[in-house]
Amino acid sequence: MMKNKKIWIGAAAIAAIAIIIFLFSGRKKKETVTFETAKVETGKIQNSITATGTIEPVTSVTVGTQVSGIVSRLYVDYNSVVKKGQVIAELDKTNLVSELNTAKANLSSAQSAMNYQLANYNRYKTLYDKGLVSADEYESARLSYQQSKEQVAQSRENVKRAQTNLGYATITSPIDGVVLSKSVEEGQTVAASFNTPELFTIAKDLTDMRVIANIDEADIGGVKEGQRVTFTVDAFPDDTFEGSVQQVRQEATTESNVVTYEVVISAPNLDLKLKPGLTANVTIFTLEKSNVLVVPTKALRFTPNEALLTKTQSIADCRGDHKVWTKEGDTFKAHAVETGTTNGVLTEILSGIDEGTNVLVDFNINGGGQEAQQEEQANNPFMPRPRGNNKNNQNNQQKKQQ
């Protein structure tokens, strides 16, 4: 009995060893390591930020009136092309002409009074020189003449003011351009008591537009004058427009605890597709370097894992702050490189490796892992079976018995 027991124990041990060897040898065969590579090549490094903005004319003027009155005539409408000095509207001039006539009459009266005071002053001066009148009488005549002169000057200024106001009733365009908006109609009364009523808005040149973009405070540090910009508008979704950063304004705007800064972007509009007020989806290229040697930034983070090497593979390391690796036969070789600009995805290589070289960026373990574990569970007679499989086995046994 003892002899048979030893035989069974020995057989069980041999079987267990065989199962372990089978499992481990099968796993080794299933696990293979592959490496991803990328070529060192000449390319472009870009970095950009996005924002939204509003398209507007570079120069636009709001035309108003400095006098009150009724709009008697309008000579332009929306989209009218106007020239500098062209009459675009007129106010009713009845009251203004009356004020001018009154001012002229007052000036005439003041001049007559001054002439009388001048003659009176000359008479008193002659009498005073002969000692026939007192100094007090002479000074009184001189003062009256001086006051009459000042009254004439004041009346003359009133005439100029009335003439100017009459001129304001004829409204002309201050620039060459296009009428964007019209705020009044004929017969409407405008009052200029406390502020200047707005009548028209005129854009100087619609072929020269700009975008006022709102840039978040987290991105404004990278925005500089002269940077290239592309933008799109919903009106022409298939078109991409180009411009450049013209101005970075220092004043901040805070809305809902979000701080933004205005950036002025040029927007040439020779084909007149861009219209004032359109919303622009802006991309500002804060970094652009062309024709430089680049590698994926992942290559600079790659390091061979000794645990994944086979017996024949080896590592040839080197000193350096930045390295890239190549696989030359069974040797993983490090190359110390000098890096330049990076955008997080690509990094510029200044020296240390030649163009066209394939560098390692990542590795993949094929087999093993979850799939290998599932296979081991399926092949291992000592692992528990899923419940569903037990039911299927019972059903098969019942069918056989029947």
Side-chain angles (χ1 to χ4, degrees), residues 378-390:
N379 296 326
N380 190 346
F382 299 103
M383 294 297 292
R385 302 292 187 208
R387 294 181 179 180
N389 293 340
N390 292 337

Side-chain angles (χ1 to χ4, degrees), residues 12 29 87 186 297 340:
K29 290 180 182 179
V87 178
E186 289 186 1
T297 304

Side-chain angles (χ1 to χ4, degrees), residues 263-275:
V263 173
V264 181
I265 299 166
S266 65
N269 189 33
L270 297 179
D271 53 6
L272 298 178
K273 285 186 176 180
L274 299 175
K275 301 182 183 302

Side-chain angles (χ1 to χ4, degrees), residues 21-31 375-376:
I21 292 173
F22 169 78
L23 292 176
F24 279 90
S25 62
R27 182 186 179 105
K28 291 287 185 183
K29 290 180 182 179
K30 292 180 181 297
E31 285 187 356
E375 292 183 7
E376 289 177 7

Side-chain angles (χ1 to χ4, degrees), residues 16-288:
I17 292 171
I19 291 172
I20 292 172
I21 292 173
F22 169 78
L23 292 176
F24 279 90
S25 62
R27 182 186 179 105
K28 291 287 185 183
K29 290 180 182 179
K30 292 180 181 297
E31 285 187 356
T32 58
V33 180
T34 59
F35 294 91
E36 296 180 16
T37 62
K39 186 173 291 187
V40 180
E41 58 187 359
T42 300
K44 178 187 291 187
I45 295 180
Q46 290 182 334
N47 203 7
S48 63
I49 61 174
T50 58
T52 58
T54 303
I55 294 174
E56 62 180 40
V58 173
T59 303
S60 62
V61 178
T62 300
V63 181
T65 175
Q66 295 188 11
V67 295
S68 302
I70 298 174
V71 179
S72 60
R73 294 292 302 274
L74 290 176
Y75 298 102
V76 295
D77 203 347
Y78 291 95
N79 301 333
S80 295
V81 178
V82 296
K83 297 293 183 181
K84 183 177 181 179
Q86 177 182 337
V87 178
I88 56 179
E90 286 185 352
L91 301 181
D92 181 67
K93 301 178 181 179
T94 304
N95 292 336
L96 297 174
V97 171
S98 177
E99 290 176 3
L100 176 60
N101 292 335
T102 300
K104 287 181 177 180
N106 291 336
L107 174 61
S108 179
S109 177
Q111 287 176 334
S112 298
M114 184 190 70
N115 292 334
Y116 168 76
Q117 294 298 336
L118 175 60
N120 190 53
Y121 166 70
N122 290 332
R123 184 170 57 256
Y124 269 89
K125 185 176 185 302
T126 301
L127 294 175
Y128 176 74
D129 291 340
K130 294 179 179 181
L132 300 176
V133 294
S134 65
D136 185 55
E137 291 174 322
Y138 167 72
E139 288 297 329
S140 178
R142 189 184 67 81
L143 178 60
S144 297
Y145 169 61
Q146 188 65 33
Q147 290 175 340
S148 66
K149 285 177 62 177
E150 293 173 355
Q151 185 63 41
V152 168
Q154 182 179 355
S155 298
R156 187 174 287 113
E157 290 300 320
N158 290 337
V159 171
K160 290 182 179 179
R161 183 182 300 107
Q163 288 175 334
T164 301
N165 288 338
L166 181 60
Y168 286 151
T170 301
I171 300 165
T172 59
S173 174
I175 58 173
D176 296 344
V178 178
V179 177
L180 295 184
S181 67
K182 182 185 69 171
S183 304
V184 293
E185 297 293 341
E186 289 186 1
Q188 182 175 337
T189 300
V190 292
S193 301
F194 300 103
N195 52 21
T196 301
E198 296 181 1
L199 306 182
F200 305 94
T201 299
I202 300 176
K204 183 176 182 180
D205 185 6
L206 292 183
T207 63
D208 187 17
M209 305 287 277
R210 66 182 180 180
V211 178
I212 305 299
N214 297 315
I215 307 299
D216 189 86
E217 61 178 325
D219 299 324
I220 194 64
V223 181
K224 302 290 186 298
E225 292 183 6
Q227 291 174 340
R228 187 171 69 92
V229 180
T230 61
F231 61 93
T232 60
V233 294
D234 293 340
F236 302 98
D238 297 329
D239 294 340
T240 300
F241 303 90
E242 292 197 1
S244 62
V245 175
Q246 299 295 305
Q247 185 184 51
V248 180
R249 294 178 176 172
Q250 300 299 323
E251 184 182 8
T253 301
T254 304
E255 186 175 349
S256 300
N257 294 327
V258 177
V259 180
T260 59
Y261 292 83
E262 287 188 346
V263 173
V264 181
I265 299 166
S266 65
N269 189 33
L270 297 179
D271 53 6
L272 298 178
K273 285 186 176 180
L274 299 175
K275 301 182 183 302
L278 289 178
T279 298
N281 302 304
V282 176
T283 301
I284 301 176
F285 293 93
T286 56
L287 170 64
E288 277 193 302

Side-chain angles (χ1 to χ4, degrees), residues 359-402:
V359 295
L360 299 170
V361 296
D362 204 354
F363 66 88
N364 294 308
I365 301 177
N366 300 318
Q370 185 175 358
E371 295 180 357
Q373 291 178 6
Q374 291 176 352
E375 292 183 7
E376 289 177 7
Q377 291 177 358
N379 296 326
N380 190 346
F382 299 103
M383 294 297 292
R385 302 292 187 208
R387 294 181 179 180
N389 293 340
N390 292 337
K391 290 182 180 180
N392 292 335
N393 293 336
Q394 293 176 359
N395 294 334
N396 293 335
Q397 292 178 359
Q398 291 176 359
K399 289 181 180 178
K400 289 180 180 180
Q401 292 176 358
Q402 293 176 356

